[in-house]
Amino acid sequence: MTTDWVERLLGGDELAASKLISLVENKSPQVPEIMRQIHPHTGSAAILGFTGPPGVGKSSLVDQFIYIACAKNLRVGVLAIDASSPYTGGALLGDRIRFGDYSGNDGVYIRSMGTRGHLGGLAQASRGAIRILDALGCDLVLVETVGVGQIELDIVKEVDTVVVVTMPGSGDYVQTMKAGIMEIADVFAVNKSDLPGADLAYSELVRFLHMAHKDSAWLPQVVSTCATKGEGLKELWTAAEAHREFLLQEDRISRRRKEQVKGEIEDLVLCRLKDDFWNIGWHGQRIQEVIDKVYARELDLYSARDEIVAQIVEEIKKI
Amino acid sequence: MTTDWVERLLGGDELAASKLISLVENKSPQVPEIMRQIHPHTGSAAILGFTGPPGVGKSSLVDQFIYIACAKNLRVGVLAIDASSPYTGGALLGDRIRFGDYSGNDGVYIRSMGTRGHLGGLAQASRGAIRILDALGCDLVLVETVGVGQIELDIVKEVDTVVVVTMPGSGDYVQTMKAGIMEIADVFAVNKSDLPGADLAYSELVRFLHMAHKDSAWLPQVVSTCATKGEGLKELWTAAEAHREFLLQEDRISRRRKEQVKGEIEDLVLCRLKDDFWNIGWHGQRIQEVIDKVYARELDLYSARDEIVAQIVEEIKKI
């Protein structure tokens, strides 16, 4: 059954992509098998991420990139990642309806992903979804995040090229830097270039990058854009392409992707360790007794930790 | 030596608090011993968190709360948590200089905390810092976050009462909800009440909360404030106090704090498992071989995981 869907996916069937991404999103027990089967068929798509504070126009830029990619006859997959709370997330995903414009267009597959009540799983699910779109045969996968929290940063680190979108003035510019995304940007778009202060924001950013990257092999390019008017889009595309060229030189892309593989393996191993080992006997009454002791100040947290770890080791030895 | 600092801390010495918080921030190997020694002396401070999107005026509200607390002769500790990137973090922490107003005031201790290059450690470090301020003898610990990312949410969950600060219009209001902080709010401050749309924002939020919390024991209170004009601050303080009263009823505070203890123990155990087990032989060449195989599509991620976990178990058995 899973194998059928995978076969359909590898044949280019978008319905199969939807089905498989849903399984990944729902943490289905079939996920390892799915990933095993599609793994040999991944690795050829270019993965491009868009991140930045809310309201700077990421969605509009992604829209424009879809148009450009379509005009170039590229097959495009789009993942819009929303780490919103499940509490209000559903309703607020409504703004994704804009993507309806493309539905029915053969070359474009679009998917929104939310937390489904488990923030920690979103990074893993989105990695899986990227691989699925890669295996579907997409030439280009665009990953757009809604916010700039840690989850989004983790996700966007999984792409080949990161476009950080910012805008002039309003403090948003500085907030972008605050959120820790400066060092993961390969390309900057200073969007809403029709707003006052756009030139200043552009030149400040360029100056800053020249200082910060004076010893780097890649100097992040900065492009002024106005997505709603379609201005600067070609230049932004060219900048993203230039970064891809850079990655392909000296096989830098393999280093980047191997770093990602390393992080992913570590995550998977830790998750497994957590599920397997932590749960050995450490649930219900037993953990509650430790918590009660800590709360009552009879036991401190670090002694509690050492006690539990020692017992986990003993239990593993009995396996 | 550590014991000396702890003794000075318990005697109310702020210099000792600074020294110990620095040790916690730098992940000193002395941290477990410090925490062991102060643990029996913690638990009496009221811990109040302020979170919300950048620019809504959290700092100004915290400032006002410091004044109110001082007027009540309460000893106050303030932690300003900035999960900014270390890359730009240092310079941008400059806005914390405002806190200079209080320095020299005996009843107020203020500390900024940043990531120091390790985001994952910030939540643990801030928990440690809260405990240190508690042990210092603070009646009230105010924890202010700069952003609303996952790290900040994790941190703010460690407090007794969460004040979510928002402001009218500008999309920030909706962004607040998007960031997943609605469900952790015990009190809302709709700040900048002098801006257009303040009444609407207030009434929308109240209506939303009435629907969302119709079966909850605690209905989050909403207060209109204008921190810069000092308006609504008394009401906000009263709302925070009302939540504290609620927590003290039916010993709800013990349930809340035990949940926090549970999360903290889990984190500590997982960190230890990670450091101890993951590192058993899984470094350098050995892990690199696995990564290379995955990258070359000879091995998939989940099979890599299973192989590594099986070997870790074998290695633990040999201990």
Side-chain angles (χ1 to χ4, degrees):
Chain A
M1 148 86 191
T2 304
T3 309
D4 289 352
W5 285 113
V6 170
E7 268 171 27
R8 287 177 60 179
L9 176 81
L10 298 177
D13 180 350
E14 295 187 355
L15 192 66
S18 292
K19 171 72 183 172
L20 292 169
I21 291 176
S22 294
L23 290 173
V24 164
E25 213 174 17
N26 294 325
K27 296 177 166 296
S28 152
Q30 295 160 292
V31 171
E33 189 48 36
I34 294 166
M35 289 301 150
R36 255 172 218 129
Q37 292 184 20
I38 71 169
H39 189 66
H41 308 280
T42 57
S44 52
I47 323 285
L48 187 58
F50 285 80
T51 192
V56 294
K58 292 182 296 293
S59 307
S60 309
L61 286 177
V62 169
D63 279 359
Q64 296 288 339
F65 261 57
I66 296 172
Y67 285 120
I68 297 177
C70 285
K72 291 178 187 286
N73 280 319
L74 296 174
R75 186 160 189 176
V76 194
V78 182
L79 288 173
I81 312 284
D82 190 344
S84 305
S85 147
Y87 190 66
T88 56
L92 289 159
L93 273 168
D95 60 334
R96 292 268 87 79
I97 288 166
R98 73 167 215 276
F99 281 138
D101 294 7
Y102 312 95
S103 57
N105 184 328
D106 262 356
V108 186
Y109 174 87
I110 290 161
R111 172 80 176 219
S112 288
M113 295 182 79
T115 61
R116 304 239 170 160
H118 185 59
L119 260 176
L122 189 57
Q124 235 173 71
S126 62
R127 283 175 188 143
I130 290 173
R131 290 218 165 73
I132 288 167
L133 294 183
D134 188 345
L136 174 68
C138 289
D139 304 297
L140 178 64
V141 177
L142 303 175
V143 181
E144 175 197 338
T145 68
V146 168
V148 285
Q150 189 53 36
I151 306 288
E152 286 90 349
L153 292 186
D154 288 347
I155 290 165
V156 94
K157 274 174 200 158
E158 299 299 316
V159 309
D160 300 327
T161 298
V162 178
V163 179
V164 168
V165 186
T166 176
M167 60 180 269
S170 85
D172 269 343
Y173 176 66
V174 171
Q175 291 309 333
T176 307
M177 300 204 286
K178 278 201 180 190
I181 60 180
M182 289 297 277
E183 61 273 60
I184 62 163
D186 302 304
V187 174
F188 281 91
V190 183
N191 197 34
K192 305 197 180 181
S193 61
D194 51 344
L195 288 184
D199 292 347
L200 183 66
Y202 176 89
S203 55
E204 269 185 2
L205 186 51
V206 169
R207 203 176 55 227
F208 174 82
L209 292 170
H210 270 280
M211 289 191 313
H213 288 267
K214 63 177 187 292
D215 301 320
S216 315
W218 173 256
L219 174 67
Q221 298 192 18
V222 185
V223 182
S224 267
T225 58
C226 185
T228 50
K229 294 182 185 166
E231 289 169 13
L233 268 301
K234 228 198 245 175
E235 291 77 5
L236 188 62
W237 180 279
T238 304
E241 253 181 353
H243 183 257
R244 184 153 187 87
E245 286 303 313
F246 169 79
L247 283 182
L248 296 174
Q249 286 159 25
E250 301 175 25
D251 202 25
R252 290 189 182 95
I253 195 160
S254 87
R255 255 172 290 154
R256 186 162 182 140
R257 288 190 168 177
K258 281 181 184 178
E259 268 307 303
Q260 293 165 355
V261 166
K262 188 180 182 186
E264 194 163 355
I265 291 182
E266 283 184 0
D267 274 8
L268 286 172
V269 168
L270 277 176
C271 261
R272 174 50 73 88
L273 288 178
K274 182 175 171 171
D275 292 349
D276 285 6
F277 299 169
W278 174 249
N279 287 331
I280 305 178
W282 282 102
H283 41 70
Q285 191 53 30
R286 198 164 163 205
I287 183 75
Q288 197 55 51
E289 280 169 19
V290 175
I291 293 165
D292 288 346
K293 273 195 204 170
V294 171
Y295 181 74
R297 267 67 192 170
E298 291 161 16
L299 183 69
D300 71 276
L301 284 158
Y302 287 82
S303 302
R305 173 196 69 179
D306 292 346
E307 206 175 280
I308 292 171
V309 170
Q311 295 200 26
I312 289 176
V313 170
E314 285 312 304
E315 279 151 2
I316 290 170
K317 287 186 186 174
K318 286 185 225 147
I319 293 172
Chain B
M1 150 84 190
T2 304
T3 309
D4 289 352
W5 286 113
V6 170
E7 269 172 29
R8 286 176 60 180
L9 176 82
L10 299 177
D13 180 349
E14 295 186 355
L15 191 67
S18 292
K19 169 72 183 171
L20 293 169
I21 291 176
S22 294
L23 290 173
V24 163
E25 212 173 16
N26 294 324
K27 296 177 166 297
S28 153
Q30 296 161 294
V31 170
E33 188 49 37
I34 294 165
M35 289 301 150
R36 256 174 217 130
Q37 292 184 21
I38 70 169
H39 189 67
H41 308 280
T42 58
S44 52
I47 324 284
L48 186 57
F50 284 80
T51 193
V56 294
K58 293 182 294 294
S59 307
S60 309
L61 286 177
V62 169
D63 279 359
Q64 297 287 339
F65 261 58
I66 296 173
Y67 285 120
I68 297 176
C70 285
K72 291 179 187 286
N73 279 320
L74 296 175
R75 185 160 191 176
V76 193
V78 182
L79 288 173
I81 312 284
D82 189 344
S84 305
S85 145
Y87 189 66
T88 55
L92 289 160
L93 273 168
D95 60 335
R96 291 268 87 79
I97 287 166
R98 74 169 213 275
F99 281 139
D101 295 7
Y102 313 95
S103 58
N105 185 329
D106 263 355
V108 186
Y109 174 87
I110 289 162
R111 172 83 176 215
S112 287
M113 294 182 80
T115 62
R116 304 239 169 163
H118 185 60
L119 260 177
L122 189 56
Q124 234 173 71
S126 63
R127 282 174 187 146
I130 291 172
R131 289 218 167 75
I132 288 167
L133 294 183
D134 189 344
L136 174 68
C138 290
D139 304 297
L140 177 65
V141 176
L142 302 176
V143 181
E144 175 196 338
T145 69
V146 168
V148 283
Q150 190 53 37
I151 305 287
E152 286 90 348
L153 292 186
D154 288 346
I155 290 165
V156 95
K157 274 174 198 157
E158 298 299 316
V159 309
D160 300 328
T161 298
V162 178
V163 179
V164 168
V165 185
T166 177
M167 59 180 269
S170 84
D172 269 341
Y173 176 65
V174 172
Q175 291 309 332
T176 307
M177 297 202 289
K178 278 203 179 187
I181 59 179
M182 289 298 278
E183 61 272 62
I184 62 162
D186 303 304
V187 174
F188 281 91
V190 182
N191 196 32
K192 306 196 181 182
S193 61
D194 51 344
L195 288 184
D199 291 347
L200 184 66
Y202 177 89
S203 56
E204 269 186 2
L205 186 52
V206 168
R207 203 176 55 228
F208 173 82
L209 292 170
H210 269 280
M211 287 190 316
H213 288 268
K214 62 177 188 291
D215 300 319
S216 315
W218 173 256
L219 173 68
Q221 298 192 17
V222 186
V223 182
S224 268
T225 58
C226 185
T228 50
K229 295 182 183 166
E231 289 170 14
L233 267 301
K234 227 197 243 176
E235 290 77 5
L236 188 61
W237 180 280
T238 305
E241 252 180 355
H243 182 256
R244 184 155 188 87
E245 286 304 313
F246 170 78
L247 283 183
L248 295 174
Q249 286 159 26
E250 299 175 27
D251 203 24
R252 290 188 182 96
I253 195 159
S254 87
R255 256 174 288 156
R256 186 161 183 143
R257 290 189 167 178
K258 281 180 185 178
E259 268 308 302
Q260 292 165 355
V261 166
K262 187 178 182 187
E264 194 164 354
I265 290 181
E266 283 184 1
D267 274 6
L268 286 173
V269 168
L270 276 175
C271 260
R272 174 49 73 88
L273 289 177
K274 182 175 173 174
D275 292 349
D276 285 4
F277 298 169
W278 175 250
N279 287 331
I280 304 177
W282 283 101
H283 42 69
Q285 192 51 31
R286 197 165 165 204
I287 183 76
Q288 197 54 51
E289 281 170 20
V290 174
I291 292 165
D292 288 345
K293 272 196 205 170
V294 171
Y295 180 72
R297 267 66 192 172
E298 293 161 17
L299 183 69
D300 71 276
L301 284 158
Y302 287 82
S303 303
R305 174 196 68 178
D306 292 346
E307 206 175 279
I308 292 171
V309 169
Q311 295 201 27
I312 289 176
V313 169
E314 285 313 304
E315 280 149 3
I316 290 169
K317 287 185 185 173
K318 287 185 223 145
I319 294 172

